[in-house]
Amino acid sequence: MKLILLIILFLILPATESKTSYFTYEEKQTENPNPPLVYRTDYWDDNTLFAQIVRKDYLSPNNAGMTWVERYLSIRTIYPDGNVEAFDVSADVLGIQPFNFGIIFALDLLRNPIQVYAIKNNYLLVTYTVATNISDVTTYEDWAMVLDLSGNVRSKSFIGQAYVDPIGNQWLPFTAEITPNINRDKGFLRIVPKTTTNDLGLQQFIV
Ligand SMILES: *[C@@H]1O[C@H](CO)[C@@H](O)[C@H](O)[C@H]1NC(C)=O
């Protein structure tokens, strides 16, 4: 089975005509029969964009509100000239614990513990969760790593305690909102609800 990611680039240039170009990029078929899915895309100021690709793990069946995806971080970077660069780095190499690869459906949202954002000039910010005891949500911490576009880890930092929903004492990933500064070189803002209060935490990060 051949799977093709159809990428459509719309380049909207101020004060000139807008341009649309189409090209196709073919994903390699692995032993996993599930198709690659584009989970998220984001872009930098120079119109380079990336797609975060996930594949459902065909060895782990879905169960109550949880979908397991393959334990890779898969990024396809698409440059304005149509070149595509791909990397697939395993969870082991990145040091991301396996429980991050379960996408949870909770409070009307698909919550992937692994989120990727475009920061600075062509760096990726990857947020994920670290647990010292998987069975104890009070030990869950949100971390972020900075990767270059070849998938090399440049740094890792603790960003805060993970959000735990007081109802059912459930860990709720993807509750933080991360917004790059208008000048991406100056870092990003992170807004996150605080467990058991009505407070929102606002943090500024310089990358
Ligand atoms: C991990 O957390 C569970 C649930 O709170 C607890 O029963 C267990 O003793 C903890 N394990 C360790 C090694 O602390």
Side-chain angles (χ1 to χ4, degrees):
M1 184 173 38
K2 285 202 169 162
L3 297 153
I4 289 174
L5 194 63
L6 176 65
I7 294 156
I8 304 169
L9 277 183
F10 295 96
L11 298 179
I12 299 171
L13 308 169
T16 60
E17 87 279 29
S18 67
K19 249 177 21 180
T20 306
S21 55
Y22 296 84
F23 65 95
T24 55
Y25 172 76
E26 202 172 299
E27 280 288 321
K28 286 192 198 80
Q29 185 55 41
T30 61
E31 75 286 355
N32 185 340
N34 293 319
L37 303 171
V38 176
Y39 172 72
R40 184 168 191 275
T41 60
D42 198 1
Y43 60 93
W44 290 271
D45 297 336
D46 66 354
N47 285 328
T48 300
L49 57 93
F50 77 82
Q52 178 185 1
I53 307 285
V54 294
R55 270 180 211 264
K56 277 169 84 173
D57 187 344
Y58 71 115
L59 298 173
S60 307
N62 294 355
N63 56 35
M66 171 81 90
T67 301
W68 292 99
V69 294
E70 282 189 323
R71 292 177 191 167
Y72 283 92
L73 181 68
S74 296
I75 299 292
R76 308 294 174 256
T77 303
I78 301 137
Y79 292 93
D81 62 6
N83 274 327
V84 179
E85 233 175 80
F87 74 74
D88 301 275
V89 185
S90 76
D92 288 347
V93 168
L94 293 171
I96 298 183
Q97 289 166 284
F99 72 93
N100 283 279
F101 293 84
I103 298 179
I104 297 166
F105 185 77
L107 298 188
D108 297 330
L109 209 61
L110 272 179
R111 296 170 182 276
N112 185 347
I114 299 176
Q115 297 290 325
V116 186
Y117 305 87
I119 53 159
K120 277 178 99 81
N121 279 329
N122 300 8
Y123 282 95
L124 299 163
L125 180 82
V126 180
T127 59
Y128 60 105
T129 300
V130 173
T132 41
N133 180 351
I134 308 270
S135 320
D136 180 358
V137 290
T138 64
T139 71
Y140 283 35
E141 294 175 350
D142 289 336
W143 281 68
M145 58 172 82
V146 174
L147 265 72
D148 63 26
L149 294 182
S150 305
N152 301 307
V153 178
R154 295 305 185 89
S155 66
K156 289 184 181 180
S157 342
F158 168 73
I159 49 176
Q161 208 59 35
Y163 182 75
V164 175
D165 188 30
I167 301 160
N169 200 32
Q170 190 194 8
W171 168 55
L172 274 188
F174 191 37
T175 40
E177 196 163 316
I178 286 188
T179 312
N181 196 299
I182 289 177
N183 176 351
R184 281 173 203 265
D185 279 346
K186 298 218 187 304
F188 60 91
L189 288 175
R190 176 175 184 265
I191 303 161
V192 68
K194 288 189 168 168
T195 302
T196 69
T197 70
N198 290 323
D199 296 349
L200 283 175
L202 178 65
Q203 299 166 292
Q204 180 169 16
F205 291 87
I206 314 288
V207 184

